[in-house]
Amino acid sequence: MNFQWAVGTHRGLVRRGNEDAAYPATSGKSDGPVLIMVADGMGGAVAGEVASRLAVQHASDAEDSDVAGRVRAANEAILAEAEQHPELAGMGTTLTLFAIEPDGVARFAHVGDSRAYLLREEELRQLTIDHTVVNQYIRAGKLTREEAAIHPQRSMLTRALGLTPNVEIDTGEETLTSGDRLLLCSDGVNSMLDDDRIAEAMTVDTAEEVVWALIEGANRAGGHDNITALVLDVAD
Ligand code: CA
């Protein structure tokens, strides 16, 4: 299989800094294996930026680990850094990571509210579950998706890296085929654009164009948060 990806990140129109991180940091292509991820940091001052950068750095360095092991390595690195630097205490981050084999088998590990979507034959499917308070309400039938989108606690996480040594990690597997388009994004995309708008943006020609359609779309909708999108196309 051939994999071609594009990545873009933008501060948005409201936030002073950009606490998102993506890996790889630049666009590229490969026959695999490919490792891709998005992290969305949180914490005072620069702490959120530190957490998301540590996450992608340590997850990518943990070469002998499976996907969950990579996430655990990232978690440990953030906890260790916070212990050494009290001013960073309480920093945390999401991490959504895919390791894709040359044959298209994609294993993922995920903590937080960044998202992975798969566009296959014009149908968009979210592969990850948001670890948020409002998503728990939705799954319990107490809230609709529309109500959740404007709920005051919509960005409150139930899980993140950097908070506890024993973080619970979702894992999954998907076999990618030619024509598939994978999106990893921070919530600055999906809090501004609903799934229909995301699907529409994902139907443009190239991965690079999708990334910028999402960033421009999120900014046109208000750009309330940092915006990061990584799009990977699969071909024979
Ligand atoms: Ca965010």
Side-chain angles (χ1 to χ4, degrees), residues 15 20 40 186-188 225-226:
R15 299 289 177 90
D20 289 353
D40 177 352
S186 65
D187 71 332
D225 199 356
N226 303 145

Side-chain angles (χ1 to χ4, degrees), residues 59-193:
S60 64
D61 285 349
E63 284 172 9
D64 295 331
S65 304
D66 61 11
V67 285
R70 288 181 184 273
V71 174
R72 276 195 297 274
N75 190 47
E76 283 160 18
I78 296 163
L79 286 168
E81 187 79 4
E83 203 168 285
Q84 281 184 1
H85 301 279
E87 72 276 14
L88 298 174
M91 68 175 168
T93 185
T94 72
L95 183 60
T96 301
L97 173 154
F98 275 70
I100 306 166
E101 300 299 330
D103 63 0
V105 171
R107 294 185 182 84
F108 66 89
H110 159 75
V111 174
D113 69 346
S114 299
R115 287 185 176 177
Y117 289 96
L118 178 63
L119 185 73
R120 176 176 286 169
E121 287 165 4
E122 294 175 20
E123 198 169 309
L124 187 73
R125 178 160 58 96
Q126 187 181 338
L127 302 180
T128 49
I129 291 168
D130 297 347
H131 298 140
T132 57
V133 173
V134 291
N135 198 39
Q136 285 188 337
Y137 294 156
I138 293 171
R139 291 164 81 86
K142 292 177 182 165
L143 214 60
T144 65
R145 282 180 84 92
E146 291 71 30
E147 288 165 343
I150 53 166
H151 196 280
Q153 290 181 330
R154 62 187 176 276
S155 47
M156 193 176 284
L157 298 182
T158 53
R159 288 190 224 171
L161 302 192
L163 307 181
T164 164
N166 300 313
V167 62
E168 196 182 341
I169 301 166
D170 285 355
T171 56
E173 191 177 310
E174 217 31 72
T175 301
L176 302 177
T177 60
S178 183
D180 282 355
R181 179 168 267 175
L182 191 63
L183 166 67
L184 306 192
C185 65
S186 65
D187 71 332
V189 172
N190 55 267
S191 61
M192 292 287 110
L193 304 174

Side-chain angles (χ1 to χ4, degrees), residues 12-57:
L13 303 179
V14 175
R15 299 289 177 90
R16 297 165 74 105
N18 189 342
E19 298 183 320
D20 289 353
Y23 181 93
T26 53
S27 304
K29 57 182 169 181
S30 162
D31 293 335
V34 181
L35 181 69
I36 54 173
M37 51 186 129
V38 162
D40 177 352
M42 67 207 80
V46 299
E49 277 175 63
V50 173
S52 62
R53 281 183 197 158
L54 282 172
V56 299
Q57 180 198 328

